[in-house]
Amino acid sequence: MRHSKLQQQVLVLYRQFLRAAQNKPGFIPRIRDEFRENARIKKTDVMHIEYLFRRGQRQLEQLRDANTKQLGSFSKPKGSG
Amino acid sequence: MAARVLQQCVRSFARPSLRLCTRNVAVRATATPAVFIHRPLSFAAESPRTRLFGQSRYGDLPPLTLETIKERVMYVLKLYDKINPEKLQTSSHFMKDLGLDSLDQVEIIMAMEDEFGFEIPDAEAEKLMTPEEIVQYIADKKDVYE
């Protein structure tokens, strides 16, 4: 299974994310969904992939910051408007 | 000695006897251990420890064999939610047989790292594609022969 340089970097970033998020609740589902969603991008669309990669690196720095504690989200209740 | 003083300080912090803590700090600063202060200290520091570990000679994990490594690897894989436990065998390829992708493979390798307690570098991790290969790799790294 030969991965390109960029694919390998993305996988390394994914691993770093999962390690960094281990003790902080709420991040893991978001990380997994985000990477899974963006895995659909075509391999040829390098500009988009590199953009997301740089964005991911910045987000990883934010996650590693000691002041980041947990992630939560609001959702609209079904049936009401 | 400093460690025992620190232990006693931490334990006594919960109790309202801060007086005892400051006295210990003063003792450490002067560096002349007064025996009558240290005897109750060491007794308190030693007794829970010797009660817990006094019986065993060494606290090491049971030795690894190929069979136990294989059991643990398969157990961790069965717990992974994207794998169907009925389809899983030691020779099933993650991508070709089980339909996983490289992100899942990263997660699986990380779960193995957590289970066996040592880091697997990325260059070698991306080559491990079946449970059999993982078992062989861990046996190599941990020097388990049969």
Side-chain angles (χ1 to χ4, degrees):
Chain A
M1 189 76 207
R2 287 269 166 272
H3 293 298
S4 70
K5 269 280 174 244
L6 194 53
Q7 276 174 321
Q8 281 170 353
Q9 285 176 318
V10 169
L11 292 175
V12 168
L13 186 68
Y14 186 50
R15 179 190 277 242
Q16 288 173 332
F17 257 111
L18 293 179
R19 283 266 172 251
Q22 261 184 348
N23 289 326
K24 307 196 180 189
F27 284 103
I28 303 262
R30 173 77 203 277
I31 293 170
R32 291 174 76 174
D33 289 341
E34 185 94 14
F35 271 86
R36 184 70 50 195
E37 180 68 35
N38 292 329
R40 291 199 202 130
I41 307 174
K42 296 244 171 286
K43 251 201 294 193
T44 46
D45 193 0
V46 179
M47 292 297 288
H48 193 189
I49 297 175
E50 283 181 359
Y51 159 73
L52 289 169
F53 181 70
R54 285 189 293 267
R55 182 167 161 260
Q57 281 175 319
R58 253 176 276 137
Q59 286 170 327
L60 179 61
E61 284 312 306
Q62 281 182 332
L63 180 58
R64 281 181 175 162
D65 185 27
N67 290 321
T68 309
K69 303 291 182 199
Q70 63 180 23
L71 180 70
S73 62
F74 298 102
S75 58
K76 193 170 165 184
K78 290 190 173 64
S80 75
Chain B
M1 190 202 87
R4 264 190 243 131
V5 172
L6 206 57
Q7 266 184 2
Q8 188 61 15
C9 279
V10 168
R11 273 198 213 103
S12 59
F13 191 73
R15 288 171 291 180
S17 58
L18 287 170
R19 217 171 21 99
L20 177 66
C21 199
T22 52
R23 205 192 313 147
N24 293 343
V25 173
V27 166
R28 210 178 59 183
T30 58
T32 52
V35 176
F36 75 97
I37 292 182
H38 274 253
R39 203 171 290 136
L41 245 187
S42 57
F43 182 69
E46 289 293 333
S47 59
R49 229 188 294 143
T50 51
R51 246 185 278 132
L52 282 175
F53 299 116
Q55 306 307 320
S56 65
R57 287 283 157 211
Y58 48 86
D60 205 357
L61 297 165
L64 288 176
T65 64
L66 274 184
E67 198 51 46
T68 56
I69 296 178
K70 194 175 84 138
E71 273 173 23
R72 285 164 76 178
V73 166
M74 297 308 275
Y75 186 67
V76 170
L77 286 176
K78 289 198 175 96
L79 289 176
Y80 189 54
D81 56 355
K82 288 195 185 155
I83 293 185
N84 187 357
E86 285 133 40
K87 275 195 184 174
L88 180 66
Q89 292 169 344
T90 47
S91 57
S92 21
H93 195 273
F94 292 138
M95 301 205 184
K96 294 184 207 154
D97 298 330
L98 298 170
L100 304 172
D101 67 0
S102 48
L103 293 176
D104 299 320
Q105 199 253 356
V106 169
E107 284 180 32
I108 288 174
I109 298 297
M110 276 185 61
M112 295 300 158
E113 284 181 355
D114 291 336
E115 168 70 21
F116 289 97
F118 69 98
E119 286 266 328
I120 302 179
D122 301 319
E124 295 167 8
E126 64 179 14
K127 296 188 197 127
L128 304 171
M129 284 296 168
T130 73
E132 184 60 41
E133 284 176 12
I134 296 178
V135 171
Q136 283 304 319
Y137 180 81
I138 295 175
D140 273 340
K141 285 292 168 186
K142 290 283 182 178
D143 291 329
V144 177
Y145 302 111
E146 266 177 28

